[in-house]
Amino acid sequence: MFRLLSTSGDQSIDLQLGRTLVVGRAVTSDIPIYDPTISRTHAEIALTATGIRLKDLGSSNGTFLNGARVTEAEAGESDIVTFGKVAFKVISVTPPVPRPQVVPAPSGFAGSKPSPGGTIVRQMPVSNSGGVPAIVIDTPQGASHLKVSAQSQEERREKKLSLLLEISKELPKQQELDRLLDKVVDFTFQIMNVDRVSILLLDEKSQELIPRVSKSRTGDASAAKHVPQSIARKAVDDRVAILSDNAAADDRFKGKSILIQSVRSAMCTPLMGSAQNVLGILYVDNQTAIHSFADEDLEFLIAFGGLTANAIEISRLSDRLRREAVVVSNFQRYFAPNLASQIAQQEGAVQLGGQKRPVVIFFSDIRGFTPLSETMGPDAIATLLTEYFTEMVEIVFEHSGTLDKFIGDAIMALWGAPIAHADDADRAMKCALDQLVSLEKLNKKWKAEGRPELGIGIGINFGEVFAGNIGSDRRLEYTVIGDAVNIASRLCRIAGPNEILISESFYQALKDPPKVEALEPIQVKGKTKSIPVYRATR
């Protein structure tokens, strides 16, 4: 039998044949080691007949056997195994003489036998503690500044784990980041006897630590706004948790900011993300007592910081998903669902205000709708238009177009805004052709039902426009403005029933043009030159 004993002598790992244990910084690890150099799931260890089998799980700082980094290896007696920077020595132990153990069958399963390989190593009752306040006490116990009361080390360990479990349940409930950070600070004061608590988050671009929340137990806001940068930077740059006694006199942390604040004892832990990136720091200090914090306090702060980092990541993910949901819900009115999702995921794809860009502008309009509507009731008109618009808009979306707006019985659509494709002109052309094919099918259906048939005119142009969000603070719409829009609208107005008219600029933009017939150029208001026009045929 073998055991791992830390070289500092404060942690021992017992192993059993047939059971693989996970070593990691996560509280849920089989063997939690609260050290910044340990990954959340760092390594696996298992007892063999001749030693201890090691398997690194892709940790950032590595697993070592006698100083050599290993992926998989077997350690024997007196070997030194190091996880990150935490070292253990392999020692042999005499196995205890096994005693018969009767495991009572669960109620409702009388006579059942324990399943093979299901040996119960340790049992801990799970109960509803009533939350964090039910575990902590008013004052800390002994040298530690943790407010946890217990009669034995085992009971104290269980209460600390229970406390972390309750915290892990409570923090994710605060999905708004500011409220979450306030909750973390409040928990810190509730759990530990400290004078000040601060959380600083790391800006991804500048890599500067930005203060997000700081509080003093006495309520002195001015005293709680600053964290010694010498301590904070070391925690971030070296990714280490720091316990400093009488920091003002510590050579490693000599700095003006420490002297001004008269920090006597401080602890600081980096908030490590799931990708081993530093999110920020959690800092606490005492301004009165020297040698105030114990190793147990730092270990607990590291674990608490891990839960805080996890909750921050959940909060940021929730915020991003909420923003994407709002964007998608707004844009699905104008864009195909897949395009709306793409826009939501591309930050800055649609800019407020807008910009000039080349765009395909598409208009389609029902011919002779006004006299037709005079012979129909309101319900019949609404039903007919709903069926027509539903089919036509779906075809726009199928070809990755943007629905700009409905104008009475007309449809205005775009290609090239807000997201452009190399073949936008061809997509718009195929959309026009497919709309005529679909309209033929609708007309056959309507004729069989005794309803009137429709004819549409389509006009398409290509040119530079202003594309962006237009409107007021009460209502914004994504649209395009410019002469190119007026030309497309004019082409649509002069198109006959089931006729597609396209401009010269649009025809030149096509990579795979259909058969066309040149028509007489048209004169557009504000233009000195006539515009060549083509009729596209199927």
Side-chain angles (χ1 to χ4, degrees), residues 76-125:
E77 185 176 1
S78 299
D79 282 339
I80 300 297
V81 177
T82 307
F83 306 107
K85 293 184 179 180
V86 182
F88 292 83
K89 185 176 182 180
V90 180
I91 60 174
S92 61
V93 294
T94 303
V97 178
R99 292 184 298 175
Q101 183 177 14
V102 179
V103 180
S107 59
F109 294 87
S112 63
K113 296 180 180 180
S115 60
T119 303
I120 298 175
V121 177
R122 185 169 181 269
Q123 298 183 70
M124 180 185 294

Side-chain angles (χ1 to χ4, degrees), residues 361-372:
I361 305 100
F362 175 106
F363 279 92
S364 67
D365 191 13
I366 298 175
R367 304 288 83 143
F369 182 74
T370 301
L372 178 65

Side-chain angles (χ1 to χ4, degrees), residues 475-486:
R475 180 177 175 83
L476 284 174
E477 285 189 355
Y478 189 84
T479 190
V480 294
I481 298 174
D483 287 339
V485 179
N486 300 331

